[in-house]
Amino acid sequence: QVQLTESGGGSVQTGGSLRLSCAVTGYPPGHYCLAWFRQAPGKEREGVAILFTSTESTYYSDSVKGRFTISLDTADNSLYLQMNSLNAEDTAMYYCAANRANNGDYCQASLLGKYRMNYWGKGTLVAISS
């Protein structure tokens, strides 16, 4: 199966930046939605950003739009989430997730929770301090 391994989490002060990485391995040929989700204590898991590998189309939640950037390095199959202007609301466990997909619309819907992601990493913790 597809394996996802996150790294790059840690503690950072408000206004700072972090770059999360997700190594994607063990997947068969095809197109995928590659995404970042997060879950904070007392809140449900939410989609943060998602990318469709065929067209590299990207979609973001309103809460991170303009601050976060999702990207894929096809040379080493690494998914990244560049996070800038971090604030307390960004404190959460961040998960890398993936699903096979035929188009970007499916990925966009997946970000909103319409479709469940089939593959998940174990998460990396991001803690923002003031």
Side-chain angles (χ1 to χ4, degrees):
Q1 285 188 319
V2 174
Q3 294 185 351
L4 307 170
T5 305
E6 305 97 333
S7 62
S11 299
V12 65
Q13 292 185 332
T14 297
S17 299
L18 279 177
R19 191 189 194 197
L20 305 183
S21 300
C22 174
V24 185
T25 61
Y27 60 93
H31 297 301
Y32 292 80
C33 305
L34 300 176
W36 290 97
F37 284 71
R38 69 184 182 186
Q39 186 168 26
K43 297 183 179 180
E44 64 181 24
R45 186 173 296 183
E46 64 171 336
V48 175
I50 198 163
L51 177 151
F52 179 50
T53 60
S54 180
T55 61
E56 297 186 30
S57 298
T58 59
Y59 307 92
Y60 299 90
S61 68
D62 290 339
S63 63
V64 308
K65 195 174 301 180
R67 298 188 298 121
F68 291 9
T69 302
I70 187 172
S71 62
L72 176 67
D73 185 344
T74 57
D76 60 2
N77 295 314
S78 295
L79 184 73
Y80 299 101
L81 184 68
Q82 178 65 48
M83 305 185 294
N84 299 324
S85 301
L86 289 164
N87 57 60
E89 300 298 322
D90 298 315
T91 294
M93 185 71 72
Y94 283 72
Y95 299 90
C96 183
N99 222 3
R100 294 188 182 186
N102 293 322
N103 55 66
D105 290 338
Y106 179 86
C107 295
Q108 184 177 29
S110 296
L111 183 69
L112 298 175
K114 184 175 181 179
Y115 304 107
R116 297 178 63 183
M117 306 299 287
N118 289 331
Y119 309 103
W120 294 86
K122 294 183 177 180
T124 185
L125 183 63
V126 173
I128 314 303
S129 61
S130 60

